[in-house]
Amino acid sequence: MQDKTHLVDEITGHRRMRRNRKADWTRRLVQENRLTVDDLIWPIFLIPGKGIVEPIPAMPGVNRMTVDKAVEAAKEAADLGIPALATFPNIEMELRDETGSNSLEKNNLINLATAAIKKAVPNIGVITDVALDPFTSHGHDGILRGNEIVNDETVEQVARAAVYQADAGADIIAPSEMMDGRIGAIRRALDAAGHQGVGIMSYATKFSSSFYGPYREAISTGGLLKGDKKTYYIDPANGTEAVRDAALDVEEGADMLMVKPGLPYIDICWRLKEAFGLPTFAYQVSGEYSMIKAGAANGWIDGERVMLETLLAFKRAGCDGILTYFAVEVAKLLAKR
Ligand code: PBG
């Protein structure tokens, strides 16, 4: 009988993958992807008032902040080297209505925050969403007429809201409401208002997902939402449809694309990057964040390592960056290395 070593050698021949894995230095040398602070976009939640930082129970470690506190947070993020923030307002219930009219208030919460942040911390990018869900009394991203989220009327409104957001200083408009034709409409509206330099990051492929739960608590839309968002978000079963949807956004003038949620749809990140070559981002959404935090709190997973592994996975999948509630935590960790 031949010895075992010989048998293995016959199979592997000269091919031994483990040579490059043998030491820390070889592993560092052959490492294909790296997560850096430049890859991070930090989503933050805004509340009206002054001097308040309020925890969100479903998202341990994440707070809602008044504008003054958001400015402090922006400074901290900029000092850590985080390139950009994405802002989401939790406005008063009295201000929410059927059409989300507060989205068209020049000095609404999101615009006040943008102006204050850009004034105090000009070097951090501010990315604003124009979906109507923070402003509607029904929690939908668009205008509800009867039982329908009406497309074209919503697009008109989000395009106008985008102009106000740009007037306030937003650097990138990120429409997440998934209406048809919105990217082209926003581009035309921005250009007509002289905002040629303001970019559009399309939430090109936003899936009708169950991972958004904690976010809906954060901006208090969970209790409001009637029905679901299946008539405008993409079916989680459909990858090719997602690529087609993104293709329209590219045609209409999107500067960057986003996939949302992140990890469950990581194949879409790869497909979009391969298909269009645009800067592509993943949104590691609230449910993804909270699952990791919950697992870690129970001692079931190593939260820090899982956080880093998920973020690196996005890089491997072709993403240029990640919107993540971990941004500050991970930036601090990367700074220590
Ligand atoms: C809606 C919107 C959602 C998120 C951001 N904007 C989804 C939704 O509530 O349907 C989710 C973000 C997250 O879960 O972290 N325009």
Side-chain angles (χ1 to χ4, degrees), residues 131 133 141 176 206 212 215-216 229 233 260 285-286 325:
D133 58 303
D141 293 20
S176 81
K206 183 168 184 184
Y212 305 139
Y215 166 92
R216 292 181 187 170
K229 302 189 177 183
Y233 290 180
K260 175 181 182 180
V285 300
S286 56
Y325 301 101

Side-chain angles (χ1 to χ4, degrees), residues 50-62:
K50 229 189 143 187
I52 307 167
V53 174
E54 152 187 298
I56 300 160
M59 301 179 74
V62 177

Side-chain angles (χ1 to χ4, degrees), residues 75 82 96 195 203 206 226 267:
K75 278 193 193 122
I82 294 172
R96 303 188 193 196
H195 290 301
Y203 283 66
K206 183 168 184 184
K226 295 186 195 85
D267 55 321

Side-chain angles (χ1 to χ4, degrees), residues 61-275:
V62 177
N63 302 308
R64 302 186 191 96
M65 296 172 275
T66 50
V67 170
D68 54 323
K69 293 291 176 185
V71 168
E72 285 173 24
K75 278 193 193 122
E76 186 194 10
D79 289 343
L80 284 163
I82 294 172
L85 303 175
T87 53
F88 297 98
N90 177 44
I91 71 169
E92 296 94 323
M93 282 297 157
E94 313 87 76
L95 295 180
R96 303 188 193 196
D97 59 24
E98 284 285 305
T99 62
S101 61
N102 186 259
S103 68
L104 296 177
E105 288 296 329
K106 225 176 159 28
N107 291 322
N108 64 12
L109 182 57
I110 191 163
N111 292 337
L112 287 178
T114 302
I117 291 168
K118 289 307 294 186
K119 186 168 176 226
V121 200
N123 290 333
I124 200 156
V126 173
I127 302 173
T128 52
D129 190 356
V130 280
L132 301 183
D133 58 303
F135 309 102
T136 55
S137 48
H138 43 73
H140 279 290
D141 293 20
I143 298 169
L144 183 64
R145 299 269 182 230
N147 282 326
E148 195 189 342
I149 303 300
V150 289
N151 193 88
D152 299 8
E153 200 182 337
T154 300
V155 169
E156 293 281 335
Q157 184 164 329
V158 299
R160 284 169 63 206
V163 172
Y164 288 126
Q165 293 184 357
D167 289 343
D171 300 288
I172 295 177
I173 306 297
S176 81
E177 84 308 325
M178 292 298 282
M179 297 298 118
D180 288 325
R182 70 208 200 283
I183 300 299
I186 292 170
R187 185 69 271 158
R188 282 193 292 279
L190 288 173
D191 289 351
H195 290 301
Q196 279 83 0
V198 173
I200 302 178
M201 176 188 284
S202 173
Y203 283 66
T205 61
K206 183 168 184 184
F207 289 86
S208 183
S209 167
S210 302
F211 282 89
Y212 305 139
Y215 166 92
R216 292 181 187 170
E217 179 187 309
I219 65 156
S220 315
T221 57
L224 300 177
L225 187 64
K226 295 186 195 85
D228 54 48
K229 302 189 177 183
K230 287 182 187 168
T231 67
Y232 45 107
Y233 290 180
I234 303 171
D235 186 331
N238 298 353
T240 301
E241 180 188 327
V243 177
R244 279 182 57 220
D245 202 321
L248 296 177
D249 291 1
V250 174
E251 250 174 61
E252 290 173 32
D255 300 289
M256 303 171 175
L257 299 174
M258 190 206 294
V259 175
K260 175 181 182 180
L263 220 49
Y265 300 90
I266 200 155
D267 55 321
I268 310 298
C269 298
W270 181 258
R271 287 176 74 171
L272 295 196
K273 189 67 187 184
E274 289 281 291

